[in-house]
Amino acid sequence: MQISDKNREARGIALTAIICAVLQLAIAPNVGLGNGRANLALVFVATVALTSGGGRAVVCGFFAGLFYDLSTTGPIGLMALLLSVCGFALGGEGRNRLSGEFASGILLFVVADLVVNVGYGLGLMLAGQGGGLVDAVFLRALPGALLSLVCFLPFAYFESRIRTSGPSLGGGHFKRGL
């Protein structure tokens, strides 16, 4: 008899949220490329969307975006909107895209990463907090997208290789009834 752990996914999401929040507050402001910074809220939402999908990714996107907005000097609500839409778009199929199709999951993240970072850069420019178009896209959005991709790769590898196999899924330990 195999034992199913129904709270495993919720614990995994909570742990990923805590790790991303700590990294967003402690590391991301100090490590930059040009004017771009890594967006760990996007990494969290993409990880949830590509592994769980569905409405859970949209809710996580909203709250992660709100956390990002409150921890930066940008307009409140812009990243919440962008990450909610990103969670909806990436999690539309409601299945684990990282376990079987790792390369396509990374490609989906790259597209979403570019769209979110360019959208946020343009939103900052329209709100009067960024420079011109060159600063918003080439000095802020593209380097930020590259840093976010570098931060996403360990999470994607963990979700695709380590969490989808092993004894915690019943591969090595199970109880037999007498």
Side-chain angles (χ1 to χ4, degrees):
M1 174 173 99
Q2 234 175 346
I3 297 176
S4 169
D5 186 3
K6 298 188 188 292
N7 290 325
R8 181 175 183 266
E9 189 172 342
R11 283 193 312 264
I13 289 173
L15 181 64
T16 305
I18 291 169
I19 292 170
C20 287
V22 168
L23 290 175
Q24 181 68 45
L25 294 175
I27 304 296
N30 299 320
V31 177
L33 186 63
N35 290 337
R37 303 287 185 259
N39 186 347
L40 276 297
L42 172 63
V43 169
F44 168 65
V45 171
T47 303
V48 171
L50 291 174
T51 56
S52 301
R56 183 175 288 169
V58 176
V59 172
C60 288
F62 175 75
F63 286 112
L66 193 59
F67 174 78
Y68 183 89
D69 287 335
L70 293 173
S71 66
T72 62
T73 60
I76 295 176
L78 178 60
M79 188 57 76
L81 171 69
L82 290 171
L83 291 184
S84 295
V85 172
C86 176
F88 178 77
L90 287 178
E93 293 181 17
R95 65 183 180 95
N96 192 344
R97 298 285 308 231
L98 291 177
S99 67
E101 306 165 355
F102 185 71
S104 69
I106 297 297
L107 183 63
L108 285 172
F109 176 77
V110 168
V111 171
D113 187 18
L114 288 172
V115 168
V116 167
N117 278 300
V118 169
Y120 191 71
L122 293 176
L124 286 178
M125 183 185 75
L126 292 174
Q129 292 187 354
L133 184 64
V134 172
D135 180 56
V137 175
F138 295 107
L139 298 177
R140 187 180 303 258
L142 294 179
L146 179 65
L147 288 171
S148 297
L149 175 63
V150 168
C151 291
F152 176 70
L153 291 175
F155 287 97
Y157 179 78
F158 178 77
E159 292 291 335
S160 69
R161 301 288 186 245
I162 296 171
R163 265 191 82 208
T164 58
S165 63
S168 64
L169 292 177
H173 301 292
F174 58 93
K175 295 183 179 182
R176 292 188 180 154
L178 296 175

